Amino acid sequence: MRWPTNAALASVPNRHLRSLIRACTRQCSIDMGKKLHAAIITGGVAAMPDSFLHNALLHFYAAHGSACSARKLFDEIPNSHKDAVDWTVLMGCFSRHGMPQSGLRLFVEMRRENVRVDDVAMACLFNACARLGNVEIGEQGHGFVMKVGLGSSVKACNGIMDVYVKCGLLGMARRVFEEMGERSVVSWTVILDGVVKLEGVGSGRMVFDNMPERNEVAWTIMIVGYVSVGLIREGFSLLEEMVFGCGLGLNYVTLCSFLSASAQSGDTMTGRWVHAYAVKAVGNEIDIMVGTAVVDMYAKCGRVDTALKVFEHMHQRNEVTWNALLSGLAMHGRGKLVLNMFPQMLKEAKPDDLTFTALLSACSHSGLVEQGRHYFDNLEASYGVTPKIEHYACMVDLLGRAGHLEEAEVLIKKMPMPPNEIVLGSLLGSCRVHGKLKLGERILQELVRMHPHNTDHHVLLSNMYALGGRQDKANSLRQDLKNRGIRKVPGMSSVYVGCQVHQFSAGDKSHPQTMEIYMKLDEMIQRLRLAGYVPNTGSQVFSGVDSRDDDADKLEEIEQALFCHSEKLAVCFGLISTRAGSTLYIFKNLRICVDCHSAMKIVSHVYNREIVIRDRNRFHCFKQGSCSCSDYW
C-alpha cells in the first residue's frame, strides 16, 4: 500500500479516515492502523479537532490491547463527545490486559460525569471485580443493578455470578442463577465453573449434563476439572467426545488450558494428545502461546528433553517461552545448560525478573555458587532488573546449600524488604543439611511468628533434634503441635498407569492391588539390602523412640515405617504394572526423604529402570544407581 503525501492526506475527508481505522480494528490490522495514525499526525489531520476520529482511534487501540495509547486518546476527547461505548471500551481494555484497578477507577469517573450506565458498563465493572477478587464492590454493583432496573439483563447477571464464583461465594451465585428469568449458555458456564472448583467434578458433571447448550468453555472447564484431580480417563473421554462427537475445535485458549492442567497434574498422555492436535491443526507454525504451554507441560511432566526439542523447533519465541524452558531445566538440575543457553536468550528476548529467578534457581540446584553470585550482583547494573524477594530467596538457598550460612544470614539482614517464609525456610533447610541446630532454632521462632500453623518447619527442626541426639526436644516439638491440634500434611505419591492416576500415602492399604504391592515391596527391600541398602532410620522420627536405641523391636518398627513411605509403594505398583525397562514417573506433594532418595538410586540399578520423581522442590531422575541432582538437593 502506498501512503498518500501529507498534503493529499489533509484533503481526505475525516469520515473516510474513520472508516479506514475501523476497518483496521475489524481486520486486526495492527501495523496498518498504527501507520495510518502516524500518517494522520504527520499530515496535520490531528491538529484539526475531530472527536469522532479520536473515537475510532480509541477503539482501535483498545481492541489491540494498547491500554496506554487508548487512555491518551480517551483523555483527548471532550466529555461532551464521549458516549457510554467509549467508556466501556476502555474499561474492558483495562480489565482484559491486567489493569482491572484502572477499570474500577474509570467506572467511578464515568458515574461522576453522569454518563448513562448500561448493562455493558456493569459487565465491565463486574469483570474487574472478579479479576481483583473484590466482592465488596461487586456486592455494591449488584445492588446498583437492581436499583436502576438492570436486574433482568442476562449480561449483568452473568457478571454478578462471576464475581461471586471468583470470590468463593457459590451460594450467592446460585441464588442469582435461580432468580434469572432468562439464562444463556454463559450463565450455565459460570455456574459450572464455580461448582467444579468449589464442589468438585462430581457435582460439576451433574450441572454439565443438565446444560441445555454447551460451548467450548463449558467443555474445557469440565475436562480440565477431571485432569486436574487425576481422573485422566474421564477427562480424555470427554475431550474425544468434544472434538470427534460434537465437532468442536480447540482454539489457543482451550489448548493452553488443557496443557496447563496436564502440567500441574503430571498427565503426559492428555498433554501429548493436545500437542499432536495442535500440530495437526496448524502444522509446525504453532501459536507462540500454545508452543510455550507445550514446553512448560513437558518440562513439568518430567520430559525435559522433549521440552527442549519442542523449544528448538519453535519458529517464534519470547521471554515467556524462554522462562518456561529455563525454569524446567533448573527443576531438573540442568544448571550448566541453563547458563550456557542464557547468552542465546539475550539475542532473542529481553530477560525479566522471572528469567533471573530461573537462572538463580538453576545455580542453586546445581551448586554453581560463583555463577549465582555473579548474576545476582549484576541484576540491576547489567540487566536493569531490580532484585525482588524471589531473587533473594534463591541466593539464600544457593549460599545455604553450599555451606555459606553466615553469608546467607548477612544477605538476609541487608535485604530491602523483610524476609518471608520462603527465604527463612530455605535457610532452615540448609541448617538441617549442615547440622546448624542453634541457628535453626532461631529461624524457627521467626517462622512460627509468621505462620504458626505450618508444620513443615516444625518437622524439619524435630528431625534435626533427633539426628543431633536430642530426642526429648524432638518429641516435645511434635507434642506441642499435637496439643495445638495441628497435623502434619500427609505425604502423597502419584503414579500414572493405564490412563489412570494411582495415589498412595505412607502405609496405604486401600489400593485394590494392595496384596501384590506389598509382596513386591518385600521382594524389593530384600534385593536392595543385598545391593548394599541400609535404612536411614534417622529420617524417621517416632515420638518416644530414639532411632539409635539398641532395642531391636523398636528399630525394626522404624525400618518398617520407612519401607512403607508413599514413594516406595508407588514404585512397587509401577514395577508390577508396567513393562520391564519402561520409565516410571512419580509425583509427590512433599520433599522426598533422605532414605527414599537413597533407596531409589539402588532401585534404578537393580531393576534397570529410570525413575523420575517430581517432589515439591524439583525433579530427581534416578538412573543406573545415581540421581540427576548429584545428591545436591
Side-chain angles (χ1 to χ4, degrees):
M1 177 178 181
R2 179 179 295 175
W3 291 101
T5 63
N6 290 350
L9 192 63
S11 65
V12 176
N14 281 3
R15 66 178 184 276
H16 291 164
L17 293 175
R18 292 198 300 271
S19 297
L20 285 173
I21 294 167
R22 287 167 183 158
C24 291
T25 304
R26 288 193 303 271
Q27 298 171 13
C28 296
S29 303
I30 302 173
D31 291 339
M32 189 172 293
K34 288 182 177 179
K35 288 178 180 178
L36 183 57
H37 186 194
I40 288 171
I41 294 172
T42 56
V45 179
M48 296 178 279
D50 184 344
S51 298
F52 296 110
L53 189 58
H54 280 88
N55 285 98
L57 286 167
L58 160 66
H59 289 214
F60 166 75
Y61 282 111
H64 298 301
S66 300
C68 293
S69 297
R71 178 74 212 215
K72 185 175 183 296
L73 285 158
F74 179 85
D75 291 338
E76 291 173 358
I77 303 172
N79 286 338
S80 58
H81 285 70
K82 292 173 185 171
D83 59 15
V85 177
D86 295 327
W87 289 86
T88 54
V89 160
L90 187 56
M91 284 176 62
C93 177
F94 282 147
S95 290
R96 287 193 307 274
H97 297 91
M99 302 169 67
Q101 196 69 53
S102 298
L104 293 184
R105 285 195 291 268
L106 193 62
F107 182 82
V108 173
E109 289 181 42
M110 183 180 182
R111 295 292 299 134
R112 284 176 184 159
E113 295 296 330
N114 293 316
V115 179
R116 184 181 64 85
V117 174
D118 57 13
D119 58 348
V120 177
M122 294 311 301
C124 290
L125 173 73
F126 292 130
N127 182 272
C129 291
R131 290 174 182 271
L132 290 168
N134 193 325
V135 71
E136 291 81 8
I137 296 181
E139 287 176 326
Q140 292 175 26
H142 186 182
F144 180 80
V145 162
M146 306 308 294
K147 181 180 178 180
V148 299
L150 292 173
S152 61
S153 166
V154 175
K155 190 186 296 291
C157 288
N158 289 346
I160 294 167
M161 288 191 296
D162 190 41
V163 174
Y164 287 135
V165 165
K166 294 293 194 301
C167 295
L169 301 175
L170 184 58
M172 294 293 291
R174 283 186 187 276
R175 187 178 304 172
V176 175
F177 182 78
E178 289 164 1
E179 292 175 354
M180 291 176 69
E182 180 186 353
R183 299 167 184 153
S184 67
V185 65
V186 177
S187 311
W188 281 91
T189 303
V190 172
I191 285 295
L192 173 65
D193 185 41
V195 172
V196 169
K197 288 178 179 175
L198 300 172
E199 293 185 353
V201 291
S203 298
R205 185 58 188 262
M206 288 190 284
V207 175
F208 182 79
D209 290 340
N210 286 324
M211 290 179 70
E213 180 188 357
R214 300 168 188 152
N215 58 11
E216 289 91 339
V217 179
W219 284 91
T220 301
I221 289 170
M222 201 66 239
I223 296 166
V224 167
Y226 276 130
V227 172
S228 298
V229 297
L231 297 174
I232 309 307
R233 187 172 294 168
E234 292 83 349
F236 197 73
S237 175
L238 267 188
L239 182 57
E240 288 184 315
E241 184 182 346
M242 173 187 176
V243 175
F244 300 116
C246 300
L248 294 174
L250 305 182
N251 59 30
Y252 77 94
V253 176
T254 54
L255 288 169
C256 290
S257 297
F258 293 143
L259 290 165
S260 177
S262 297
Q264 296 305 315
S265 66
D267 169 28
T268 317
M269 188 191 79
T270 303
R272 279 177 172 167
W273 191 94
V274 173
H275 181 199
Y277 176 93
V279 171
K280 187 175 181 180
V282 299
N284 290 325
E285 296 287 343
I286 297 179
D287 177 88
I288 190 168
M289 288 180 63
V290 177
T292 299
V294 170
V295 170
D296 186 58
M297 180 274 296
Y298 280 122
K300 288 181 177 175
C301 288
R303 277 72 167 181
V304 70
D305 290 324
T306 305
L308 191 56
K309 288 179 182 177
V310 173
F311 176 85
E312 290 171 346
H313 284 89
M314 287 179 67
H315 297 279
Q316 186 181 5
R317 302 187 287 243
N318 59 16
E319 70 277 5
V320 182
T321 315
W322 273 97
N323 291 345
L325 179 70
L326 298 183
S327 296
L329 292 171
M331 287 179 65
H332 285 80
R334 306 281 187 89
K336 291 183 178 178
L337 181 56
V338 170
L339 296 183
N340 289 339
M341 293 188 73
F342 181 65
Q344 183 184 344
M345 177 186 180
L346 295 176
K347 298 176 183 178
E348 293 185 14
K350 182 180 179 181
D352 57 16
D353 57 311
L354 295 177
T355 308
F356 288 100
T357 299
L359 200 65
L360 294 173
S361 177
C363 293
S364 178
H365 286 311
S366 301
L368 303 172
V369 179
E370 291 305 318
Q371 294 90 328
R373 283 197 188 107
H374 167 76
Y375 283 112
F376 182 78
D377 292 340
N378 289 280
L379 267 182
E380 200 151 16
S382 300
Y383 304 102
V385 174
T386 302
K388 294 187 176 181
I389 197 163
E390 292 82 6
H391 303 125
Y392 282 98
C394 288
M395 280 305 296
V396 169
D397 191 50
L398 169 61
L399 295 170
R401 286 173 185 270
H404 304 295
L405 276 79
E406 290 182 2
E407 186 179 347
E409 267 197 288
V410 170
L411 181 62
I412 292 175
K413 291 175 182 176
K414 289 182 177 179
M415 286 171 55
M417 70 285 287
N420 62 8
E421 187 180 12
I422 298 174
V423 172
L424 295 178
S426 296
L427 189 56
L428 181 61
S430 298
C431 290
R432 180 195 63 81
V433 173
H434 297 285
K436 300 292 185 180
L437 195 53
K438 289 185 178 180
L439 177 57
E441 289 176 322
R442 195 165 70 246
I443 294 170
L444 181 65
Q445 290 176 357
E446 293 185 52
L447 286 167
V448 169
R449 282 196 293 270
M450 289 181 182
H451 298 280
H453 296 285
N454 188 324
T455 60
D456 292 351
H457 308 310
H458 292 80
V459 172
L460 193 61
L461 187 61
S462 177
N463 288 340
M464 289 172 64
Y465 280 134
L467 291 170
R470 300 175 63 181
Q471 189 65 47
D472 56 331
K473 292 285 288 183
N475 294 337
S476 174
L477 196 58
R478 297 203 174 200
Q479 188 61 46
D480 178 56
L481 289 177
K482 187 176 181 181
N483 293 340
R484 288 191 285 149
I486 302 173
R487 298 186 61 188
K488 177 181 179 292
V489 176
M492 304 293 293
S493 293
S494 304
V495 57
Y496 286 88
V497 174
C499 303
Q500 188 174 349
V501 63
H502 299 262
Q503 195 171 62
F504 300 89
S505 58
D508 198 343
K509 294 188 178 180
S510 62
H511 196 277
Q513 292 177 254
T514 290
M515 186 177 294
E516 298 97 310
I517 292 169
Y518 276 85
M519 286 176 63
K520 188 66 177 180
L521 179 64
D522 290 340
E523 178 225 290
M524 185 180 80
I525 296 300
Q526 289 179 19
R527 293 186 64 176
L528 294 188
R529 286 187 185 275
L530 290 173
Y533 166 65
V534 178
N536 188 332
T537 55
S539 62
Q540 183 74 27
V541 180
F542 282 174
S543 180
V545 178
D546 189 336
S547 62
R548 298 181 301 176
D549 200 308
D550 290 334
D551 191 312
D553 291 337
K554 291 179 180 178
L555 189 60
E556 183 179 354
E557 185 181 1
I558 295 173
E559 290 182 353
Q560 286 301 319
L562 281 174
F563 300 157
C564 296
H565 277 193
S566 63
E567 47 269 69
K568 292 189 180 79
L569 296 178
V571 162
C572 287
F573 177 72
L575 290 173
I576 64 175
S577 306
T578 59
R579 71 179 188 277
S582 60
T583 302
L584 298 179
Y585 294 90
I586 296 168
F587 303 87
K588 187 175 181 183
N589 64 329
L590 302 177
R591 186 177 185 271
I592 186 173
C593 78
V594 175
D595 182 76
C596 285
H597 191 270
S598 300
M600 292 303 161
K601 289 195 293 185
I602 303 175
V603 171
S604 69
H605 175 68
V606 169
Y607 289 91
N608 192 28
R609 293 278 195 129
E610 186 174 347
I611 304 169
V612 179
I613 296 182
R614 183 178 82 183
D615 71 5
R616 187 174 58 186
N617 296 330
R618 63 173 296 161
F619 277 90
H620 298 268
C621 180
F622 302 95
K623 190 174 182 179
Q624 293 298 314
S626 62
C627 179
S628 58
C629 74
S630 301
D631 297 336
Y632 193 86
W633 53 290

